[in-house]
Amino acid sequence: MKAVWTRIRRLYRNSRISQKLFLAFSLMIAIPAIIVSFLFIRTQESQLYKDAMATGASHVSRLEEQLRSRLAVLENASSTALTQKAFVDFIHSDMQADGLRLVKFRQNQYEQMHNIIQSYDLVSQISFYVDNPGLHEIWPEIYRYDRFWPQDYWMSLREEGGAGYRLFSLQDDGQTLSYYRLVRLQGQSSRRPTVMEIRAAHSEFFSSVLEETEGHFFSVVMDGSDPSRRVYNGSHVFALNAGEELDGILGRVHGKLDALQQGSPVKVRAGDQLYYALYRYIAPLDAYVIDIASHQDLMKGPRSWYLLVTAIAACVLLMMLLLVSYMTRRIFRRLEMVLASMRKVRRGQLDAKIHTGLGENEPGDEIDFVAVSYNSMLDEIQRLMTQVVDKQLIAKNAQLHSLHSQINSHFLYNALESIRMRAEVERQPAIAGALVSLGALLRYSMQWRGDTVNLGDELANIESYIRFINFMEGSGFELRAELPPEVLRYPIPKMCLQPIVENAVHHASPPGGSVTIEMNVKVENNLMLLIDIRDNGTGIDRDTLSRLQEALADNADRPITASRNGLGLENVHKRLQLHYGEGCGLAIDSVPGAYTCVTIRLPWEQVSLGGW
């Protein structure tokens, strides 16, 4: 077995990609098609089962409501009959004592009782069984108690609350439902109480059960304690198909009935058939109304779909396999062109481009996209090779320029130091201080030892700049910056504050006036360091401010152009975004004649700041 598996793996590994794809597509189509087909049928079966159970539950609930309403009719008939107190009193008196009273009773009380019986279509007969020796049995509604059996049934009625139903009447055990009720009279404690019996024929009372002959669900009313006592339509399709097995099916269903679990369907198996039963318990009757259906009948439709869906899936599968085979052959012929060009490039032939045959604005498919990208890659390789050579030349020139700048800077520092010493000798402290500030500015800008500096060093450079500007222009610029020590040690990109302060000096000062520049810092959400540089100068007019804000909000990747907006802030903003990302940079706000505030957003506690 292991050798066979190894051989299969070797054959698969050495097969062409077109053959592998053909096999993969076949499996990807065949297996899902079969699985989806059977899942679809199973889903339909499940949905059909749910719908059938919902229909059966609705039907059995409707039957329960009908039967309970008919029970209420019998109880109303009983209560109406007992309101005829003269009738009840007379049948408990000596009916043989006076014939004239008997005639009057027949004409009045008996006739009223007879009318009550006829007013209820559901009631077939009302009978009174009276323990009265003076009773005349000359009407079918009045009997001596001796004719009633069992004689002690009144005790059972008393335990049941004075009334009770029987699915089959006690007197003749025929197809009749009876309602029994005790009639208790004062002063008759030594006798057995009178029993009133109201009968309703099964054909009337259970008409909704007995009239149905078709449908998947077979309705039956079954006694709660005796499964052999039941009411159903023997001509129903279900009963005819079940035949002699009907008793066994009903017996198994009865064995699983539970009045406390009547919301759940019951499943029973008889022979090779599975049956579902939905039921409701009717407590006054001590009986169950049940709807039974065969699983085979319910699922007859979906089972016939299996062959049809399988045949359709097989036809669709064959068509898709033929189409996949044709398409893969065409695709891999074009891929061979790509492989041939790659082999030429490996031999050093960088101009071995792939001819796609596409028009100027024709995008093509994925393979055309690969070919176009491949051609672009060859062009980019050639461009990069040229660029590498150019960069090497630029690096050499930069090294020479750096050496030259160092020589010039040393000469400039020595010259400034000589002038400063001469100013001190000639007692010109203002000139000496200005030269010290200018020297510090030049030394800070020229000594680019690293990519970042401490905020304190940047601030010291700005202070030197303010002192030099005040000396040169005779102005009264003032810089206020009281920053926490931990912020002064925070590394920031070099020369990111200088252009902003320079803008405030050159553009915020009114003619002949002075400007106070305040610098404050704060940390936002422990993530961002915000440096506010605010001046109380002339501010920025609305149009210029709008152009500035649009320029700072523009995230387009354009080359940086210094002083494009006249204030030189976009240069710093773009450099900060390139340095830290789009979440950082500058924001500006201004009110003409009041203030201008530029906010620098930098990452707080950034470990590696990188370079410009």
Side-chain angles (χ1 to χ4, degrees):
M1 185 65 184
K2 184 176 181 181
V4 174
W5 178 246
T6 303
R7 182 175 177 79
I8 293 174
R9 292 181 58 186
R10 186 178 295 112
L11 288 174
Y12 177 79
R13 179 61 182 271
N14 296 328
S15 300
R16 295 176 62 85
I17 296 180
S18 59
Q19 296 173 341
K20 294 178 181 178
L21 283 179
F22 182 82
L23 177 62
F25 277 125
S26 301
L27 295 177
M28 289 173 61
I29 295 171
I31 295 177
I34 296 173
I35 293 176
V36 169
S37 299
F38 282 93
L39 286 178
F40 171 77
I41 297 174
R42 293 292 297 174
T43 303
Q44 293 299 314
E45 287 183 348
S46 176
Q47 186 61 42
L48 186 60
Y49 169 78
K50 292 179 180 179
D51 294 342
M53 292 299 104
T55 302
S58 175
H59 182 259
V60 76
S61 298
R62 186 167 62 254
L63 289 178
E64 179 194 18
E65 292 176 0
Q66 291 175 356
L67 295 181
R68 288 186 180 275
S69 65
R70 292 173 183 177
L71 292 177
V73 170
L74 295 183
E75 292 176 3
N76 290 336
S78 168
S79 300
T80 305
L82 292 181
T83 58
Q84 306 300 313
K85 188 174 184 303
F87 177 89
V88 175
D89 291 341
F90 185 79
I91 64 176
H92 287 84
S93 65
D94 188 1
M95 299 174 62
Q96 302 175 6
D98 188 352
L100 181 60
R101 289 181 61 241
L102 204 60
V103 172
K104 292 182 178 180
F105 171 76
R106 171 66 180 82
Q107 295 176 346
N108 298 309
Q109 288 83 8
Y110 177 80
E111 189 66 25
Q112 292 177 359
M113 182 62 71
H114 191 68
N115 292 335
I116 291 174
I117 297 173
Q118 292 182 341
S119 65
Y120 291 92
D121 295 335
L122 192 61
V123 177
S124 61
Q125 184 180 357
I126 294 181
S127 300
F128 290 86
Y129 297 89
V130 187
D131 188 8
N132 181 12
L135 183 72
H136 267 308
E137 293 183 341
I138 57 178
W139 297 291
E141 287 82 8
I142 305 171
Y143 299 93
R144 289 191 177 92
Y145 194 84
D146 296 340
R147 293 181 179 272
F148 184 81
W149 63 270
Q151 296 288 305
D152 58 349
Y153 182 66
W154 66 270
M155 296 181 182
S156 300
L157 286 178
R158 183 179 60 185
E159 293 175 356
E160 294 176 5
Y165 287 92
R166 291 297 177 267
L167 189 60
F168 292 88
S169 297
L170 295 175
Q171 301 303 302
D172 56 11
D173 199 25
Q175 298 298 313
T176 306
L177 179 142
S178 293
Y179 175 62
Y180 298 93
R181 185 164 178 175
L182 292 179
V183 181
R184 300 181 182 276
L185 297 177
Q186 294 180 353
Q188 301 293 328
S189 59
S190 61
R191 299 179 182 178
R192 287 169 294 191
T194 299
V195 176
M196 180 178 63
E197 179 187 39
I198 300 179
R199 295 191 181 190
H202 283 181
S203 60
E204 294 292 334
F205 192 86
F206 297 108
S207 59
S208 55
V209 175
L210 298 174
E211 290 174 358
E212 295 183 358
T213 58
E214 297 181 352
H216 294 304
F217 283 95
F218 170 62
S219 300
V220 58
V221 178
M222 196 177 301
D223 189 277
S225 56
D226 186 359
S228 64
R229 301 173 67 85
R230 50 186 179 246
V231 179
Y232 63 87
N233 185 0
S235 60
H236 192 277
V237 175
F238 181 91
L240 296 177
N241 293 336
E244 296 180 355
E245 295 182 357
L246 181 61
D247 291 340
I249 296 172
L250 296 180
R252 287 182 174 86
V253 170
H254 187 274
K256 289 194 173 183
L257 298 180
D258 187 352
L260 300 179
Q261 301 293 332
Q262 56 183 331
S264 302
V266 170
K267 297 180 182 180
V268 297
R269 185 172 293 277
D272 59 346
Q273 293 291 325
L274 177 65
Y275 298 92
Y276 302 107
L278 296 161
Y279 63 96
R280 292 290 185 274
Y281 179 68
I282 303 177
L285 275 179
D286 186 25
Y288 294 92
V289 55
I290 311 167
D291 270 3
I292 305 174
S294 169
H295 176 80
Q296 183 178 6
D297 292 338
L298 292 178
M299 302 302 164
K300 186 179 298 181
R303 291 300 171 88
S304 64
W305 298 344
Y306 278 106
L307 182 60
L308 177 61
V309 172
T310 303
I312 294 175
C315 294
V316 172
L317 174 63
L318 180 60
M319 294 178 60
M320 294 186 68
L321 290 179
L322 293 176
L323 180 61
V324 168
S325 177
Y326 173 75
M327 294 300 297
T328 52
R329 286 199 302 268
R330 289 185 57 86
I331 290 172
F332 281 99
R333 279 202 302 266
R334 297 165 63 194
L335 286 178
E336 283 293 337
M337 298 173 59
V338 178
L339 295 176
S341 177
M342 289 182 177
R343 296 188 189 101
K344 293 179 181 179
V345 172
R346 288 177 59 185
R347 294 194 296 266
Q349 188 177 348
L350 296 180
D351 57 348
K353 295 184 178 181
I354 303 170
H355 178 67
T356 60
L358 296 176
E360 183 177 357
N361 296 322
E362 190 176 357
D365 59 9
E366 287 81 357
I367 297 180
D368 292 325
F369 178 76
V370 170
V372 172
S373 301
Y374 180 77
N375 292 338
S376 300
M377 181 185 69
L378 293 180
D379 293 336
E380 184 68 15
I381 289 174
Q382 293 179 353
R383 187 187 67 80
L384 291 175
M385 292 177 65
T386 303
Q387 187 178 16
V388 168
V389 175
D390 293 340
K391 284 186 176 180
Q392 290 177 351
L393 293 175
I394 292 172
K396 293 295 183 181
N397 292 332
Q399 290 179 0
L400 294 175
H401 179 72
S402 176
L403 292 174
H404 182 68
S405 298
Q406 290 179 8
I407 295 173
N408 290 339
S409 62
H410 284 296
F411 174 77
L412 182 61
Y413 295 153
N414 293 332
L416 290 176
E417 183 64 20
S418 298
I419 296 172
R420 184 187 68 81
M421 293 297 295
R422 182 66 177 270
E424 289 184 356
V425 170
E426 295 182 0
R427 300 182 181 279
Q428 296 291 334
I431 297 175
L435 290 173
V436 170
S437 299
L438 178 59
L441 288 173
L442 294 174
R443 188 178 296 107
Y444 183 79
S445 60
M446 292 181 179
Q447 291 181 353
W448 206 291
R449 298 178 180 176
D451 300 320
T452 59
V453 295
N454 292 335
L455 179 58
D457 295 338
E458 185 80 359
L459 182 60
N461 178 60
I462 294 173
E463 291 174 347
S464 298
Y465 171 76
I466 293 296
R467 288 195 297 268
F468 183 74
I469 288 297
N470 286 334
F471 171 78
M472 291 293 295
E473 299 182 3
S475 303
F477 294 104
E478 181 181 359
L479 176 66
R480 297 178 182 177
E482 297 181 1
L483 307 182
E486 62 271 14
V487 175
L488 293 176
R489 294 190 297 269
Y490 189 75
I492 63 172
K494 190 174 183 180
M495 298 293 289
C496 67
L497 304 181
Q498 166 76 20
I500 301 171
V501 175
E502 187 174 350
N503 278 333
V505 169
H506 290 294
H507 299 283
S509 176
S514 62
V515 174
T516 299
I517 303 173
E518 295 184 0
M519 185 181 301
N520 297 299
V521 297
K522 63 179 178 180
V523 177
E524 184 181 69
N525 298 328
N526 204 29
L527 296 175
M528 302 299 295
L529 176 65
L530 273 61
I531 303 176
D532 290 335
I533 302 176
R534 183 187 183 99
D535 65 72
N536 59 353
T538 58
I540 305 173
D541 62 87
R542 295 181 182 272
D543 294 337
T544 303
L545 180 63
S546 298
R547 289 196 302 271
L548 270 174
Q549 291 175 341
E550 290 177 1
L552 297 180
D554 185 9
N555 294 324
D557 190 12
R558 295 195 303 262
I560 298 173
T561 56
S563 301
R564 172 173 171 264
N565 48 49
L567 295 178
L569 297 179
E570 186 183 2
N571 184 286
V572 176
H573 176 68
K574 289 293 184 181
R575 290 166 70 191
L576 289 175
Q577 284 198 331
L578 291 173
H579 193 79
Y580 295 113
E582 294 183 359
C584 300
L586 301 184
I588 187 168
D589 184 27
S590 179
V591 175
Y595 71 91
T596 298
C597 181
V598 179
T599 301
I600 303 176
R601 295 178 60 87
L602 300 174
W604 177 245
E605 296 184 353
Q606 182 74 17
V607 177
S608 178
L609 294 174
W612 288 100

